[in-house]
Amino acid sequence: MKVIRKIAKFSFIALAIMMFASCNKTTEETTTAPAAAESGTPAPAVIRYIDGDTLMAKYNLAIDINEAMLRRSNQLDNEQMKRGNEIQRLGNEIQNKYKNNGYLTEESFNADQNRLAKMQNDAQTYLAKLQRDAQNEMMQYQIQLNDSVQNFIKAYAKEKGYDVILYKASAVFIDPKYDVTGDVIEGLNKRYTKVEKK
């Protein structure tokens, strides 16, 4: 369903914004309390950056999440088509029966109309539930992905002695020699263990 694909795209954009905001918070904290050198002036910050798009394209957890959401989207599309076909079939049967004077009483015609209305209502309720479930699942995935990336980057920055790690999108220009995207992706993928679906 196109709605879920839009939700997935929006969710990844929202995730990138959340990660950017977290990075900015870290940057503010770092710049407001820099380490003082012996001369009393702040030491220059050691800054690196990562490319968020590359990270999302190559981090195995992000890939798995994207695949899971595509499966969910296909499931919703299939369910919508299945329910739509059932409703269409019943509607056609009622219409043909009506045209061919198949209804002997108004009560039997009304009973079929009520059955069609109930089928439509049940389908809407069921599909809305599937959409809500998909949105909740996506939110959980976002939290998991954000936590994973943030926790790794904090540990990675501390280990390497970096004061700030920015997202490339947050800067107008950064010299490519400060790019640590490959190292971060490699580290994230090393520690990621895929949990197989039961």
Side-chain angles (χ1 to χ4, degrees), residues 17-76:
I17 290 169
M18 287 183 348
M19 295 167 92
F20 172 70
S22 295
C23 225
N24 278 347
K25 184 178 178 187
T26 304
T27 303
E28 290 169 9
E29 290 169 359
T30 303
T31 55
T32 56
E38 288 180 17
S39 66
T41 59
V46 180
I47 301 173
R48 296 295 182 265
Y49 77 90
I50 57 173
D51 184 329
D53 292 338
T54 303
L55 181 73
M56 291 300 128
K58 294 185 177 179
Y59 178 24
N60 291 335
L61 174 60
I63 292 168
D64 290 345
I65 288 172
N66 191 43
E67 288 172 359
M69 292 316 299
L70 286 175
R71 281 192 302 273
R72 179 66 92 153
S73 176
N74 289 336
Q75 176 194 12
L76 282 169

Side-chain angles (χ1 to χ4, degrees), residues 133-165:
D133 291 348
Q135 288 172 334
N136 290 337
E137 184 179 355
M138 187 63 210
M139 285 171 51
Q140 291 305 312
Y141 281 143
Q142 282 179 334
I143 292 167
Q144 180 186 3
L145 184 60
N146 189 42
D147 286 349
S148 176
V149 171
Q150 290 298 318
N151 290 333
F152 178 82
I153 287 178
K154 284 178 187 174
Y156 173 79
K158 185 175 181 181
E159 175 191 332
K160 298 290 187 178
Y162 302 146
D163 298 309
V164 180
I165 297 180

Side-chain angles (χ1 to χ4, degrees), residues 102-122:
Y103 289 105
L104 301 176
T105 65
E106 188 176 334
E107 288 79 21
S108 64
F109 174 71
N110 289 339
D112 278 355
Q113 289 283 38
N114 290 338
R115 188 164 56 114
L116 178 62
K118 183 179 184 323
M119 183 183 279
Q120 290 170 329
N121 188 46
D122 290 349

Side-chain angles (χ1 to χ4, degrees), residues 71-87:
R71 281 192 302 273
R72 179 66 92 153
S73 176
N74 289 336
Q75 176 194 12
L76 282 169
D77 287 345
N78 292 339
E79 283 298 322
Q80 185 176 29
M81 188 177 297
K82 177 184 167 188
R83 300 289 170 129
N85 288 341
E86 290 170 357
I87 291 167

